[in-house]
């Protein structure tokens, strides 16, 4: 059963058409958009928590670490209620659009990226705190300097966000609706094919998804090495 | 600088996202149709929607949910039209003012599916109630959708007609999921379940499952189309949604529905006028 499903899946890989390419493209757009927003929000947020001195700092750190395990289906329901026509942002008509999916995945990846950034920047902060204070850096200058100095390590946070966004199904299913040629992405397509009992096709799509994530990670790894060699 | 490069990548990705969004915004007119997993997973929409889109230029975006959930989405105003199959709940939806009207569209039937070995001898049933009594009598594992779908509502009606209270029994498993996943579960553990014929016909992971009982008039499964009430939700695309409902019940729409076949078998029948 398992072996035959797998061989059928591999045979299917050869026959993929432009419909699969469309689904892959939308996955990249949605998850890519979420990771860009996650990078712009999550990394500075994590760095601010690391450098800042404020009451309840350890509480915030624990909270943001815990939110790494935020269930995607909960995020889906919350964003659904917000974007629903009967919800507070209903007038924008965003439900069942790719933008709604970007919003939901952004909420998912921000805590994850912020938590990793907080740890990375805090470690660097402990090493360089004195130097930065001697140079009379303001708090915000310290944050941006540390973010810049840690950029190679922070790539892990970006990749973790990308992996989380590309692999989640709970949130995009609810706020996107898995609409054919509109909001269907890799994971919801896999869920649909599994529902139809077409397990070889589901596995084939799964292989494509894993290969895609692997390729993105390989590119990021290569870029990082190239950048480190070239710019130090 | 490396972060220059990163910045450039970011800008490029953002551009792609915005381009995608702009494309979605400028696309031809579209409506959102909340419908059931049975119509989507049976492949019916993939067959009839391109025909409608070609003649009308209106694209229909299908969100496939259980009937209960689809009605809920309609109640919140998140769809323009519904195509569902739970007559009592549909009439209530319209009576409460959430829908403008309901129209008969098509029907198919439910089938009792189970392991070919048939330990409860469901094949020999005299009617639907008898089939359900046989399953309960042998305490054979039965997987319920338990998701407030049209199929779930029908299943509960059949248990009631058989004077059996299955909820809480050890052989009665409430899956809380769509038709396809429920069939996957039944196939995995050789259990009985109730399916609509369309999803079953298009279902590929059957393993030892087969149709064991069908054909009772009580297993009739009608689908209705509902226009979400624009008086309650002014953003509803009334003209486009009505055009779709009119098409579904027109000669062209009826023909499209009747012409969907899997392996030569017709899965949905246009409602008699």
């Amino acid at each position: 059963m398992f072996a035959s499903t797998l061989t059928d899946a591999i045979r299917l890989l050869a026959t993929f058409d432009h419909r699969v390419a469309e689904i892959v493209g939308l996955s990249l757009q949605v998850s890519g958009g979420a990771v860009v927003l996650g990078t712009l929000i999550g990394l500075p947020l994590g760095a601010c928590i690391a450098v800042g001195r404020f009451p309840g700092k350890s509480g915030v750190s624990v909270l943001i670490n815990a939110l790494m395990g935020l269930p995607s289906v909960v995020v889906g329901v919350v964003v659904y209620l917000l974007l629903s026509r009967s919800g507070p942002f209903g007038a924008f008509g965003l439900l069942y659009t790719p933008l709604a999916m970007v919003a939901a995945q952004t909420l998912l990846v921000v805590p994850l990226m912020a938590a990793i950034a907080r740890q990375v920047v805090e470690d660097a902060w402990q090493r360089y705190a004195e130097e930065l204070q001697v140079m009379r850096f303001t708090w915000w200058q310290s944050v941006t300097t540390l973010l810049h100095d840690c950029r190679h390590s922070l790539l892990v946070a970006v990749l973790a966000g990308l992996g989380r966004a590309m692999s989640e199904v709970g949130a995009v299913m609810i706020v996107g609706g898995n609409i054919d040629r509109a909001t269907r992405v890799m994971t919801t397509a896999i869920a649909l094919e599994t529902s139809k009992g077409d397990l070889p096709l589901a596995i084939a799509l799964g292989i494509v998804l894993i290969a895609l994530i692997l390729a993105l990670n390989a590119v990021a790894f290569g870029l990082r090495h190239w950048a480190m060699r070239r710019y130090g | 600088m490396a972060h220059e490069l990163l910045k450039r990548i970011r800008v490029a990705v953002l551009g792609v996202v915005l381009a995608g969004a702009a494309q979605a915004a400028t696309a031809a007119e579209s409506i959102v149709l909340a419908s059931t997993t049975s119509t989507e997973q049976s492949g019916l929409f993939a067959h009839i929607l391109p025909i409608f889109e070609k003649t009308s230029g209106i694209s229909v975006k299908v969100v496939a949910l259980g009937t209960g959930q689809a009605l809920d989405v309609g109640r919140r105003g998140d769809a323009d039209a519904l195509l569902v199959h739970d007559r009592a709940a549909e009439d209530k939806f319209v009576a409460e003012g959430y829908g403008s009207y309901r129209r008969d569209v098509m029907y198919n039937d439910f089938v009792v599916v189970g392991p070919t070995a048939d330990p409860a001898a469901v094949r020999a049933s005299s009617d639907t109630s008898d089939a359900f009594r046989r399953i309960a009598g042998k305490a054979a594992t039965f997987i319920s959708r338990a998701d407030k779908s049209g199929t779930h509502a029908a299943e509960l009606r059949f248990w009631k007609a058989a004077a059996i209270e299955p909820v809480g029994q050890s052989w009665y498993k409430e899956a809380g999921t769509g038709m396809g996943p429920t069939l996957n579960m039944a196939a995995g553990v050789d259990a009985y379940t109730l399916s609509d014929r369309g999803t079953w016909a298009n279902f590929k992971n059957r393993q030892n499952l087969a149709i064991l009982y069908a054909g009772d008039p009580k297993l009739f499964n009608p689908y209705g189309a509902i226009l979400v009430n624009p008086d309650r939700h002014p953003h509803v695309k009334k003209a486009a949604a009505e055009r779709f409902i009119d098409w579904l019940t027109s000669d062209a729409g009826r023909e499209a529905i009747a012409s969907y076949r899997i392996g030569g078998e017709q899965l949905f029948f246009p409602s008699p006028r």
Side-chain angles (χ1 to χ4, degrees):
Chain A
M1 175 72 199
F2 179 75
S4 72
T5 302
L6 204 61
T7 47
D8 283 352
I10 289 164
R11 201 170 305 131
L12 272 171
L13 285 175
T15 65
F16 274 154
D17 52 7
H18 70 283
R19 291 293 289 279
V20 176
E22 268 177 38
I23 292 173
V24 170
L26 186 65
S27 281
L28 285 173
Q29 284 183 25
V30 167
S31 299
V35 170
V36 170
L37 292 174
T39 304
L40 296 177
I41 302 165
L43 298 190
L45 179 68
C48 287
I49 296 170
V51 174
R53 269 194 243 156
F54 52 92
K57 179 174 167 170
S58 32
V60 171
S61 300
V62 169
L63 179 69
I64 206 116
N65 282 346
L67 286 180
M68 287 198 286
L70 198 58
S72 58
V73 66
V74 172
V75 172
V77 173
V78 169
V79 174
Y80 171 81
L81 290 173
L82 291 173
L83 297 184
S84 167
R85 289 287 185 176
S86 305
F89 303 106
F92 298 109
L94 286 176
L95 194 66
Y96 304 139
T97 67
L99 284 180
M101 298 157 80
V102 172
Q105 291 200 338
T106 303
L107 275 186
L108 260 183
V109 299
V110 160
L112 175 66
M113 296 174 79
I116 298 175
R118 184 201 61 79
Q119 191 63 56
V120 167
V121 172
E122 197 168 276
D123 292 348
W125 173 241
Q126 274 164 10
R127 280 199 302 277
Y128 301 123
E130 270 181 39
E131 287 175 46
L132 292 172
Q133 272 157 4
V134 167
M135 289 158 80
R136 300 189 177 237
F137 270 35
T138 64
W139 174 81
W140 178 247
Q141 280 172 324
S142 302
V143 166
T144 52
T145 306
L146 286 169
L147 274 175
H148 184 249
D149 281 357
C150 297
R151 63 189 180 276
H152 297 308
S153 313
L154 287 172
L155 187 62
V156 174
V158 175
L159 289 174
L162 188 68
R164 175 106 212 250
M166 299 247 344
S167 61
E168 74 88 19
V169 57
V172 281
M173 184 69 99
I174 296 173
V175 304
N178 192 23
I179 298 169
D180 193 19
R181 285 176 299 162
T183 58
R184 184 161 298 161
V185 291
M186 299 290 297
T187 51
T188 57
I190 293 168
L192 177 63
E193 293 311 327
T194 308
S195 295
K196 289 181 183 167
D198 197 340
L199 304 188
L201 187 51
I203 297 274
L205 289 168
I207 292 173
V208 173
L209 178 60
I210 294 166
L212 198 64
I213 294 175
L214 195 65
L216 288 170
N217 273 276
V219 167
F221 191 83
L223 271 181
R224 184 189 160 182
H225 269 253
W226 174 78
M228 281 174 84
R229 258 212 316 274
R230 182 136 182 205
Y231 303 111
Chain B
M1 289 289 290
H3 78 288
E4 268 309 305
L5 184 75
L6 272 180
K7 218 182 254 174
R8 226 174 276 167
I9 293 172
R10 274 179 217 158
V11 170
V13 172
L14 199 63
V16 171
V17 172
L18 292 178
Q23 198 187 341
T26 55
E29 191 172 11
S30 67
I31 58 168
V32 172
L33 176 73
S35 191
T36 70
T37 55
S38 52
T39 39
E40 166 90 355
Q41 288 169 12
S42 65
L44 176 72
F45 283 133
H47 175 74
I48 67 167
L49 290 184
I51 303 173
F52 173 68
E53 285 169 17
K54 203 181 274 174
T55 57
S56 66
I58 298 166
S59 79
V60 180
K61 297 178 165 179
V62 178
V63 181
L65 306 157
T67 290
Q69 239 184 320
L71 289 168
D72 220 42
V73 162
R75 220 170 264 130
R76 301 183 62 89
D78 292 324
D80 302 302
L82 311 175
L83 182 65
V84 290
H85 66 133
D86 182 356
R87 188 61 200 263
E90 290 164 40
D91 288 342
K92 184 162 168 263
F93 184 88
V94 173
E96 286 172 351
Y98 293 106
S100 299
Y101 54 79
R102 176 200 176 279
R103 287 241 202 103
D104 282 324
V105 173
M106 60 185 186
Y107 65 92
N108 67 358
D109 64 338
F110 293 113
V111 293
V112 179
V113 166
T116 42
D118 194 13
V122 167
R123 275 199 191 91
S125 305
S126 56
D127 62 12
T128 312
S129 295
D130 186 34
F132 276 64
R133 272 196 296 269
R134 282 165 185 259
I135 293 167
K138 274 274 184 298
T141 306
F142 183 96
I143 301 191
S144 168
R145 291 277 296 274
D147 64 347
K148 295 195 172 172
S149 60
T151 306
H152 181 219
E155 180 216 305
L156 293 179
R157 274 201 311 276
F158 298 147
W159 287 119
K160 203 166 176 193
I164 291 163
E165 175 52 59
V167 178
Q169 306 278 356
S170 63
W171 50 268
Y172 186 76
K173 316 283 186 201
E174 300 187 87
T177 184
M179 193 67 255
T182 302
L183 285 170
N184 275 332
M185 287 174 72
V189 299
D190 277 346
Y192 291 88
T193 192
L194 181 75
S195 176
D196 63 284
R197 193 182 287 273
T199 306
W200 169 256
N202 200 29
F203 185 73
K204 300 197 174 68
N205 179 34
R206 292 182 184 176
Q207 301 189 38
N208 293 327
L209 296 186
I211 293 180
L212 299 179
Y213 184 74
D216 186 342
K218 278 190 209 132
L219 293 170
F220 181 65
N221 176 28
Y223 289 78
I226 298 175
L227 175 72
V228 175
N229 193 349
D231 295 337
R232 192 177 278 263
H233 295 292
H235 59 266
V236 166
K237 293 172 182 159
K238 179 168 181 267
E242 285 202 298
R243 194 152 166 213
F244 178 61
I245 294 173
D246 288 346
W247 180 82
L248 276 177
T249 50
S250 72
D251 286 340
R254 293 158 62 87
E255 200 175 298
I257 291 167
S259 67
Y260 180 56
R261 278 154 211 269
I262 295 178
E265 185 186 5
Q266 181 175 347
L267 294 185
F268 293 93
F269 298 82
S271 298
R273 284 220 171 103

